[in-house]
Amino acid sequence: MDPVPGDPAGAPHPGAPAGGHGPDLGALLRQSARGDSAAFASLYDATAARVHGLVLRVVRDPAQAEEVTQEVFLEVWRQASRYDAERGSALAWLMTIAHRKAVDRVRSAEAASRRDVTWEQRNQGVEHDTTAEAAHASLEAHRVRAALGQLTDVQREAIELAYFGGYTHTEVAALLDLPVGTAKTRIRDGLIRLRDTIGVGQ
């Protein structure tokens, strides 16, 4: 995913302090508010993975998560001047925008789905087998969601990235800032627990 303006490649930006502690996101936001595309590119590089991870956990669709993530950074670029350090950290401000955008997308999709269902109900009969199939699919989805709820936070995050987000084990490790072996272990343990939970009563 490329940031809206600018090119993230290049020399370190003044918003990135020495010492390996990560960039000063507040400074990068203030510079972005002044139209500094290099600062915005640095901000994007520092936060895109976390923003995308949050959005993906909410919308649960990789393609839509990509779109929403881009919408988030477009709004950040446009509204950077509204950031107020006295009201919270830069990351919290950015993640709040991300969560709001993701929830809006879910609500929009649910509304569209309800409209489609209403239209179908009004314009055509529903076969019994179709209804049974839909009910079964809904039940399975509910069981998977319930099973995910039984995982630890770290297991669930790794599983969602790998199997709902479509990331490889190496990519999951990079997104979560973990060794590849640790990421694989979390995914494996999560899958075992999912299998055991969903398998109950089958």
Side-chain angles (χ1 to χ4, degrees):
M1 297 180 292
D2 293 328
V4 178
D7 184 352
H13 194 273
H21 298 299
D24 181 342
L25 300 183
L28 292 176
L29 268 175
R30 290 189 292 273
Q31 292 157 358
S32 297
R34 296 193 293 268
D36 187 336
S37 60
F40 181 77
S42 297
L43 177 71
Y44 179 92
D45 287 344
T47 59
R50 294 185 69 172
V51 168
H52 184 264
L54 171 64
V55 170
L56 182 60
R57 285 195 292 273
V58 176
V59 303
R60 297 182 181 276
D61 178 90
Q64 290 200 47
E66 291 283 348
E67 293 177 4
V68 173
T69 298
Q70 291 300 320
E71 291 175 5
V72 169
F73 281 100
L74 181 60
E75 179 164 336
V76 169
W77 172 249
R78 290 171 172 170
Q79 305 294 335
S81 61
R82 296 189 176 183
Y83 167 64
D84 182 357
E86 293 184 357
R87 300 181 63 182
S89 71
L91 182 61
W93 182 78
L94 195 150
M95 297 297 271
T96 297
I97 294 174
H99 186 264
R100 186 184 73 244
K101 287 282 188 183
V103 170
D104 287 346
R105 177 62 65 94
V106 170
R107 288 173 176 168
S108 177
E110 289 176 345
S113 177
R114 286 194 296 270
R115 286 194 297 270
D116 290 343
V117 169
T118 300
W119 186 91
E120 290 176 1
Q121 290 174 343
R122 289 176 177 175
N123 291 274
Q124 64 184 27
V126 180
E127 297 291 337
H128 172 74
D129 289 346
T130 302
T131 303
E133 182 179 342
H136 178 72
S138 177
L139 176 61
E140 288 301 308
H142 176 75
R143 293 175 68 186
V144 170
R145 287 194 298 270
L148 283 170
Q150 301 301 311
L151 302 180
T152 66
D153 290 343
V154 294
Q155 289 173 342
R156 182 166 56 253
E157 187 173 36
I159 289 290
E160 288 176 340
L161 287 173
Y163 291 94
F164 297 128
Y167 291 100
T168 65
H169 289 178
T170 301
E171 290 169 335
V172 171
L175 287 171
L176 299 180
D177 194 22
L178 295 170
V180 175
T182 302
K184 287 182 177 180
T185 297
R186 290 184 181 180
I187 293 169
R188 184 192 66 230
D189 292 347
L191 285 175
I192 291 173
R193 193 165 181 180
L194 270 180
R195 181 197 63 197
D196 293 344
T197 303
I198 296 175
V200 174
Q202 286 187 338

